């Protein structure tokens, strides 16, 4: 009884912290009421809806229009990636409009559309009466640089044609009227002096797309020739920003994925656009309070979810079939070297194969899913990640067989009972496992969506993977859940027979987390270790870049996955339940935002 009362108090406190965190985030994002923040779904001229995140200063009106900057994320990133720069620009009297490109997050899927919505949104922005359409800018991150370029250039009205090196003619392209500045982050480069708009490039010292020794970037002819110098200084303007000839390189101690949430990038964005639009830049950078608020909220919601899981598992309806009866329960080997091998070898295998498995899996599953399940569309990075997980668990299963049947003589009866669960009704158990997981996650889904409706804010953590699902993404959830369930069943069987310790719950939880989290962490250590020690990166290829993005997400997601797997198994001694729960949890986070690939 006392334990239940304590759990209830923890649950209520976690809910309170969740809303306190969102209040902190919201008050920071709105600058205490001086900025309006809205999530919009705009129906564009082509009849396709696109999701926007708009930060509008209160003093931007029809009578007093304000400059505007459109912020475009790259790859499979959601609009929320751009929110830190967006809120700070708005605090400096610039309308900031984050774009969620078509196929990503809550935007509709649109095939073969240049810029994935950047052109459509630009047309929409030019029609808003509270925006000064003579002072427009763009920020493009990673692949967002090409999406910026799709909207930035328009055919010359004169109809002049130009020839390429092969002699093919095409319309001459010019910069769209009203554009005063363009800033690329982690990709692209400075515009040549042919174009009279200010131009900037931000590169993180840990950015994984820069080729060559990053210590020599300021001497690299690829970057210096635009300025007409042999060496440049970061954070120094070249040319005259007032006349549109300003050029500047920014650098910060950050990387490609984390760069948009770094103080150095946000400071650079504010410096560039307040200079370009000739506005004061005298306010402190406060966005970290917003990040703190969302971090508190999501730690709290995970704790609340753990409490809900504990409440549900104590109900007789679930306990009767999900909690196993008398049987032999295996525990971790007392030999530390044995346990360490079971953790480290799969992690090394996962790190070594990630750059191959993620893009290969995308290629294989893109074709298979489109052909056999849903014709025409599937989720790009999710395909690569589920394929990598399957490869990882196949290796883990092989290692498990060798270690338990060749190196040591494992209790075969216990291994069999771990699968068969004697005394358990298998079909009702599996059905109740699905219902249990659904109800637990439905609570989190409701809380996250409710919080968003109250505060017009989307979760920033996990790449917005705790996100409200559109109808199409709900279909993807139902499609990918069984695909993720397969590797999670194998993983939870291996982990529950190898890392459970009856009298040491904390140690067990750490071991479960390490078993899940070490493979992506080892890959990231390899990738960023090379940057740290050799000042070059292995991630410049498309395959490595995809693996990097997928495994950064996986490393974060495996924290709650490992903790919940340990808690659920300790309460039930039933490895099926944590497998079902975690695969459902992982699927939700994976499909909620990721880029939907449109096939033929």
């Amino acid at each position: 009884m006392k334990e239940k009362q304590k759990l209830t108090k923890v649950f209520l406190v976690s809910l309170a912290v969740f809303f306190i965190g969102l209040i902190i985030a919201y008050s920071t994002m709105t600058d205490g009421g001086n900025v309006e923040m809205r999530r919009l779904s705009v129906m564009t001229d082509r009849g396709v809806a696109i999701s926007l995140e708009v930060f509008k200063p209160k003093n931007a009106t029809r009578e007093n229009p304000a400059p505007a900057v459109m912020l475009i994320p790259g790859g499979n990133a959601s609009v929320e990636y751009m929110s830190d720069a967006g809120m700070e620009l708005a605090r400096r009297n610039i309308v900031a409009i984050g774009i969620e490109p078509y196929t990503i997050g809550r935007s509709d899927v649109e095939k073969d559309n240049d810029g994935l919505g950047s052109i459509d949104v630009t047309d929409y922005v030019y029609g808003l009466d509270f925006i000064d359409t003579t002072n427009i800018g763009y920020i493009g991150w990673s692949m967002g640089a090409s999406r910026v370029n799709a909207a930035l250039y328009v055919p010359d009205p004169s109809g002049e044609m130009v020839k390429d090196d092969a002699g093919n003619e095409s319309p001459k392209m010019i910069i769209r009227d009203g554009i005063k500045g363009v800033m690329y982050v982690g990709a692209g480069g400075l515009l040549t002096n042919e174009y009279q708009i200010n131009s900037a490039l931000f590169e993180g010292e840990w950015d994984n797309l820069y080729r060559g020794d990053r210590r020599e970037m300021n001497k690299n002819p690829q970057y210096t020739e635009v300025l007409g110098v042999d060496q440049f200084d970061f954070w120094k303007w070249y040319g005259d920003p007032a006349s549109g000839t300003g050029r500047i390189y920014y650098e910060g101690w950050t990387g490609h994925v984390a760069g948009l949430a770094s103080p150095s990038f946000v400071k650079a964005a504010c410096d560039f656009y307040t200079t370009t639009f000739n506005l004061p830049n005298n306010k402190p950078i406060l966005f970290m309070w917003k990040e703190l608020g969302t971090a508190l909220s999501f730690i709290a919601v995970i704790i609340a979810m753990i409490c809900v899981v504990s409440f549900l598992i104590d109900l007789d309806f679930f306990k009767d079939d999900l909690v196993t009866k008398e049987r032999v329960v295996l525990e971790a080997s007392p030999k530390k070297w044995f346990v360490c091998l079971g953790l480290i070898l799969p992690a090394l295998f996962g790190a070594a194969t990630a750059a191959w498995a993620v893009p290969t899996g995308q290629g294989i599953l893109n074709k298979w899913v489109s052909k056999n399940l849903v014709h025409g569309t599937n989720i790009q990075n999710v395909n690569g990640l589920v394929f990598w997980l399957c490869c990882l668990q196949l290796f883990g299963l092989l290692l498990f067989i060798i270690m338990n049947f060749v190196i040591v003589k494992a209790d075969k009866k216990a291994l069999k009972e771990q699968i068969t669960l004697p005394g358990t009704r298998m079909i009702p158990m599996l059905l109740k496992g699905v219902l249990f997981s659904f109800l637990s996650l439905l609570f989190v889904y409701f809380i996250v969506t409710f919080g968003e409706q109250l505060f017009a804010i989307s979760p920033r953590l996990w790449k917005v993977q705790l996100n409200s699902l559109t109808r199409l993404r709900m279909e993807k959830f139902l499609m990918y859940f069984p695909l993720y369930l397969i590797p999670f069943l194998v993983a939870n069987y291996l982990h529950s027979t190898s890392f459970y310790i009856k009298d040491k719950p904390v140690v067990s939880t750490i071991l479960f987390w390490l078993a899940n989290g070490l493979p992506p962490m080892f890959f990231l250590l390899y990738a960023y270790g090379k940057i740290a020690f050799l000042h070059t990166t292995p991630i410049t290829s498309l395959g490595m870049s995809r693996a990097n993005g997928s495994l950064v997400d996986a490393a974060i997601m495996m924290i709650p996955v490992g903790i919940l797997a340990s808690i659920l198994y300790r309460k039930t001694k039933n490895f099926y339940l944590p497998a079902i729960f975690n695969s459902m949890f992982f699927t939700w986070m994976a499909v909620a935002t990721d880029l939907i690939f449109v096939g033929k």
Side-chain angles (χ1 to χ4, degrees):
M1 186 65 180
K2 288 184 178 180
E3 183 178 346
K4 190 172 182 179
Q5 290 177 343
K6 182 180 179 181
L7 196 63
T8 302
K9 289 180 180 178
V10 172
F11 174 73
L12 294 175
V13 169
S14 64
L15 286 183
V17 172
F18 173 78
F19 286 107
I20 289 171
L22 287 186
I23 290 171
I24 293 172
Y26 180 73
S27 61
T28 306
M29 292 179 75
T30 58
D31 195 27
N34 293 317
V35 173
E36 296 177 356
M37 184 270 173
R38 297 177 183 173
R39 282 298 300 264
L40 303 177
S41 181
V42 173
M43 185 63 68
T44 59
D45 291 341
R46 69 174 68 232
V48 182
I50 191 164
S51 178
L52 305 178
E53 186 174 62
V54 180
F55 295 89
K56 177 181 172 289
K58 282 286 184 69
N59 58 6
T61 63
R62 178 185 299 177
E63 294 74 25
N64 181 38
V69 174
M70 284 167 275
L71 303 98
I72 308 178
N76 59 338
S78 69
V79 66
E80 189 64 22
Y81 264 53
M82 314 301 294
S83 62
D84 294 330
M87 61 164 280
E88 291 294 351
L89 290 172
R91 294 179 63 239
R92 288 157 178 80
N93 295 317
I94 298 170
V95 178
I97 301 172
I99 299 173
E100 198 147 58
Y102 293 136
T103 79
I104 294 173
R106 302 179 199 183
S107 292
D108 284 349
V109 173
E110 172 75 339
K111 185 179 179 181
D112 298 333
N113 173 35
D114 290 340
L116 288 181
S118 60
I119 300 173
D120 297 338
V121 173
T122 298
D123 294 339
Y124 168 76
V125 167
Y126 271 73
L128 298 175
D129 60 8
F130 58 85
I131 286 177
D132 177 3
T133 55
T134 65
N135 282 293
I136 300 292
Y138 292 94
I139 296 178
W141 170 63
S142 193
M143 196 178 290
S146 64
R147 295 166 186 166
V148 165
N149 290 340
L152 184 64
Y153 299 100
V154 294
D156 190 332
S158 68
E160 183 179 347
M161 305 293 287
V162 295
K163 291 184 178 181
D164 59 20
D165 294 338
N168 299 316
E169 284 194 336
S170 60
K172 179 183 177 182
M173 305 300 287
I174 62 172
I175 298 290
R176 190 186 288 258
D177 287 343
I179 306 298
K180 291 295 179 64
V182 60
M183 182 178 192
Y184 300 114
V185 186
L190 296 184
L191 300 183
T192 67
N193 290 325
E194 173 187 357
Y195 301 108
Q196 298 299 298
I197 68 169
N198 293 333
S199 175
L201 173 66
F202 180 90
E203 279 282 345
E205 293 182 42
W206 294 79
D207 198 298
N208 52 262
L209 293 187
Y210 177 70
R211 297 178 182 272
D213 190 329
R214 60 197 60 250
R215 292 172 299 183
E216 301 294 321
M217 177 182 166
N218 65 334
K219 299 178 182 178
N220 188 328
Q222 176 185 350
Y223 298 93
T224 59
E225 286 179 358
V226 179
L227 300 177
V229 299
D230 295 326
Q231 180 176 331
F232 64 82
D233 294 325
F234 290 103
W235 294 81
K236 176 183 176 181
W237 280 92
Y238 292 82
D240 180 16
S243 64
T245 61
R247 302 290 184 268
I248 186 169
Y249 287 106
Y250 296 104
E251 185 182 50
W253 200 78
T254 186
H256 195 70
V257 176
L260 297 177
S262 68
S264 53
F265 161 67
V266 174
K267 181 181 177 183
C270 293
D271 173 77
F272 179 73
Y273 276 110
T274 53
T275 301
T276 293
F277 296 141
N278 193 27
L279 295 172
N281 186 20
N282 52 10
K283 289 193 172 185
I285 299 290
L286 298 179
F287 79 91
M288 291 303 292
W289 285 99
K290 175 242 180 187
E291 294 292 356
L292 173 64
T294 54
L296 283 175
S297 293
F298 285 96
I299 292 171
V301 82
I302 294 300
I303 294 173
M305 182 171 66
I306 292 171
C307 293
V308 169
V309 164
S310 299
F311 291 143
L312 289 178
I313 205 66
D314 286 335
L315 297 177
D316 291 338
F317 174 78
F318 289 113
K319 188 184 296 184
D320 289 344
D321 286 299
L322 294 180
V323 178
T324 61
K325 310 303 186 285
E326 293 295 326
R327 68 175 181 82
V328 179
V329 178
L330 287 172
E331 293 194 56
S333 171
K335 300 174 183 178
K336 292 182 180 179
W337 66 267
F338 195 80
V339 175
C340 288
L341 278 180
L343 291 171
I344 293 174
L345 290 181
L348 291 173
F349 174 84
T353 59
W356 165 82
V358 172
T360 300
Q362 286 180 3
I364 293 173
L365 290 180
N366 281 354
K367 295 178 182 178
W368 185 83
V369 171
S370 291
K371 182 179 180 181
N372 295 286
L373 295 180
V374 178
H375 294 281
T377 65
N378 52 76
I379 299 185
Q380 184 81 341
N381 276 24
V382 173
N383 286 338
L385 188 54
V386 73
F387 184 82
W388 175 76
L389 284 171
C390 288
C391 293
L392 180 62
Q393 300 318 325
L394 282 173
F395 176 84
L397 189 59
L398 177 62
L399 180 66
F400 177 83
I401 292 170
I402 294 172
M403 293 181 71
N404 285 280
F405 293 95
V406 178
I407 298 177
V408 300
K409 303 301 179 182
D411 186 336
K412 295 181 178 60
K413 179 183 177 183
L415 291 175
K416 181 181 178 182
E417 289 187 354
Q418 184 77 353
I419 297 175
T420 59
L421 302 182
T424 301
R425 300 181 302 164
M426 191 62 68
I427 299 301
M429 182 271 293
L430 293 174
L431 292 176
K432 286 187 178 181
V434 171
L435 178 61
F436 174 92
S437 302
F438 174 75
L439 291 176
S440 300
L441 292 177
L442 186 63
F443 159 76
V444 183
Y445 190 86
F446 171 77
I447 290 296
V448 169
T449 305
F450 181 64
E452 179 187 341
Q453 294 302 314
L454 281 181
F455 300 104
I457 185 173
S458 302
R460 173 68 166 80
L461 262 57
W462 295 311
K463 215 174 55 131
V464 202
Q465 285 156 328
L466 290 185
N467 200 350
S468 299
L469 299 177
T470 63
R471 179 192 60 79
L472 179 59
R473 291 187 182 275
M474 183 62 75
E475 292 175 3
K476 301 302 178 186
F477 175 87
L478 297 174
M479 181 178 76
Y480 279 97
F481 169 57
L483 294 180
Y484 272 112
L485 181 59
I486 295 169
F488 271 104
L489 281 170
V490 176
N492 278 270
Y493 176 77
L494 300 180
H495 300 163
S496 60
T497 54
S498 304
F499 305 122
Y500 171 72
I501 304 175
K502 181 180 179 181
D503 299 322
K504 296 182 178 180
V506 175
V507 175
S508 290
T509 300
I510 292 173
L511 290 176
F512 272 69
W513 167 64
L514 289 175
N516 285 282
L518 280 180
M521 289 171 58
F522 270 32
F523 172 81
L524 298 175
L525 286 172
Y526 157 68
Y528 290 97
K530 190 169 182 180
I531 295 176
F533 293 103
L534 301 179
H535 308 287
T536 59
T537 175
I539 316 178
T540 51
S541 70
L542 179 60
M544 282 292 284
S545 183
R546 285 178 175 174
N548 177 60
S550 294
L551 270 66
V552 166
D553 298 332
I556 297 172
M557 289 189 281
M558 288 303 184
I559 297 173
V561 162
I563 293 172
L564 287 161
S566 174
I567 290 173
L568 287 171
Y569 183 73
R570 180 167 294 279
K571 285 181 170 291
T572 64
K573 305 302 183 295
N574 172 356
F575 85 92
Y576 291 98
L577 180 59
I580 294 169
F581 183 91
N582 280 331
S583 57
M584 193 175 287
F585 185 45
F586 207 91
T587 304
W588 173 22
M589 291 188 287
V591 306
T593 293
D594 219 333
L595 183 148
I596 294 180
F597 173 77
V598 183
K600 294 181 179 180

